[in-house]
Amino acid sequence: MDGVVIAHETAPARVLIGQGACDRVAGEVERLGGERVLLVSTPSAAAASERVAGALGTCLAARFDRAAPHTPVTVTAQAMAVVEATRTDCVIAIGGGSAIGLAKAVSARTGMPQIAVPTTYAGSEATPVLGETENGVKTTRRDPALAPGTIIYDPDLTLGMPRGLTRTSAMNALAHAVEALWAPDATRLTDALATEAVDGILRALPEVLADPADPDARGQLQTAAWLAGVCLAQTRMGLHHQLAHVLGGSFDLPHAELHTILLDHVMAYNLPSAPGALARLTRLVGPNPVQVVARLTREYEGPTTLGALGIPLDGLRGIAERVAANPYPNPRPLTADAVLDLLERAW
Ligand code: NAD
């Protein structure tokens, strides 16, 4: 008898969660057999990087703080020169998706074990995916070996995160979970993770925005974002992520803000064709999930429209045509006109 067979795979990962977790980083290095650590970060995550550097003690061999968005191969080459000069055998990323991308790139080139210590909610630490940029062209690959074997979530490292980044990065995580709910390869497990992630983010985000230094609320938000990152790793992305990738790549835009601006518009487009996702979201937030998400976007103190991000109105048709010509799997079919209409609303 023929039936539908679902294959479900999860990447093995060890995840430490809780206040003070980052102080155990040296023990995690030892567990992986590392002795000489390269710590990579972005310049503005310096405070968190200092804390981890202190916790590493004598096994810290080198630091590289020039990680950049979209993992440019030129930056990776600079980090590789440091690896060779200092004979490091383990790489740790402290920061958001940019630092974690660099650690994945270094690990891919050397086979070194990696530990991710995320300070945003972008979710890259949970995925076996690396996007690298060379001569302005971004190529993405997926390989289980790219996923950090150990993740350390410590809410302490997020207490100083500005309100704006907190909101947009949490919306980025929310988008992973919402798209997982309507993904063609969603399973009962990803449905459960995504539902819990949406619930956790929508509950914790307002609490964190009211008191950004509250470690309990930060911990709730971080845990929900972890689940959203696992959803991103386990399901295929749809229209929302495709628009974020194409717009971000074409106009060099900030990742999290773009996700924030797009999400309610994509939900308004897709939910009528995604009854399962709509039912779950309605159960969580009432009859109008689009409005709930739109309110979170509107209250952002930064740009809340594509126009305010600097995208020219006459650039939208080309984007719509590219997306409709080669769509990611999406619950509602796409035409260039429909995508253009969505983008113009977001503009
Ligand atoms: P990011 O890592 O570029 O960080 C944004 C800014 O916030 C940086 O300046 C950083 O230094 C700063 N920052 C980070 N943590 C902070 C904190 N706690 N307090 C204050 N400032 C802090 O941005 P991101 O949104 O985390 O990641 C975006 C990048 O990650 C993009 O390149 C995206 O493509 C990639 N990404 C990849 C995957 C994947 O699965 N491969 C998933 C999600 C994102």
Side-chain angles (χ1 to χ4, degrees):
M1 195 176 83
D2 287 339
V4 177
V5 177
I6 292 168
H8 181 84
E9 285 179 32
T10 34
R14 177 174 158 90
V15 182
L16 271 63
I17 305 178
Q19 227 184 334
C22 78
D23 297 327
R24 303 198 189 180
V25 66
E28 294 303 312
V29 172
E30 194 183 332
R31 210 177 150 271
L32 294 169
E35 291 178 344
R36 297 179 56 75
V37 169
L38 169 68
L39 183 62
V40 303
S41 60
T42 38
S44 55
S49 174
E50 280 311 311
R51 167 106 178 241
V52 173
L56 280 168
T58 52
C59 64
L60 178 63
R63 293 175 77 167
F64 182 88
D65 72 356
R66 297 192 297 279
H70 309 300
T71 332
V73 293
T74 47
V75 174
T76 304
Q78 293 168 21
M80 285 299 298
V82 176
V83 169
E84 278 147 32
T86 57
R87 290 172 295 106
T88 48
D89 59 12
C90 179
V91 59
I92 300 183
I94 168 90
S98 298
I100 293 165
L102 176 59
K104 285 178 177 176
V106 167
S107 176
R109 284 162 177 73
T110 57
M112 289 199 294
Q114 45 170 330
I115 298 176
V117 189
T119 62
T120 70
Y121 307 117
S124 176
E125 67 282 356
T127 80
V129 176
L130 169 63
E132 294 184 279
T133 313
E134 184 165 22
N135 300 323
V137 179
K138 186 164 177 175
T139 33
T140 299
R141 62 191 155 124
R142 188 181 189 94
D143 179 344
L146 289 168
T150 305
I151 308 172
I152 300 179
Y153 290 109
D154 188 335
D156 273 359
L157 301 177
T158 62
L159 300 182
M161 193 176 182
R163 272 198 179 77
L165 179 63
T166 299
R167 182 190 302 271
T168 57
S169 194
M171 297 290 282
N172 185 184
L174 183 64
H176 302 331
V178 168
E179 283 229 304
L181 287 175
W182 61 50
D185 52 354
T187 65
R188 291 297 289 274
L189 184 79
T190 60
D191 279 346
L193 288 171
T195 306
E196 185 72 12
V198 171
D199 190 33
I201 292 167
L202 292 179
R203 278 176 201 277
L205 179 57
E207 288 177 27
V208 170
L209 291 172
D211 181 4
D214 174 355
D216 290 333
R218 283 283 187 186
Q220 297 293 331
L221 185 55
Q222 197 173 38
T223 307
W226 164 44
L227 304 183
V230 177
C231 289
L232 178 69
Q234 305 245 317
T235 53
R236 295 182 68 190
M237 294 172 278
L239 176 62
H240 175 86
H241 282 77
Q242 185 175 18
L243 287 174
H245 293 165
V246 176
L247 285 165
S250 305
F251 300 105
D252 194 20
L253 300 169
H255 184 77
E257 285 186 349
L258 196 48
H259 277 278
T260 305
I261 292 169
L262 289 169
L263 184 58
D264 64 292
H265 296 283
V266 178
M267 288 172 69
Y269 182 78
N270 271 351
L271 283 175
S273 301
L278 180 61
R280 281 178 184 267
L281 291 171
T282 304
R283 220 160 61 216
L284 291 176
V285 299
N288 203 335
V290 175
Q291 217 171 59
V292 171
V293 171
R295 197 177 315 128
L296 282 169
T297 301
R298 269 202 313 276
E299 288 167 1
Y300 177 44
E301 53 270 35
T304 57
T305 63
L306 295 180
L309 261 193
I311 299 177
L313 183 58
D314 62 6
L316 297 181
R317 175 158 283 283
I319 299 287
E321 283 170 0
R322 268 172 66 194
V323 167
N326 207 353
Y328 289 12
N330 195 59
R332 184 165 170 192
L334 302 179
T335 61
D337 283 343
V339 178
L340 181 62
D341 182 60
L342 186 164
L343 290 172
E344 284 176 352
R345 287 170 197 274
W347 194 85

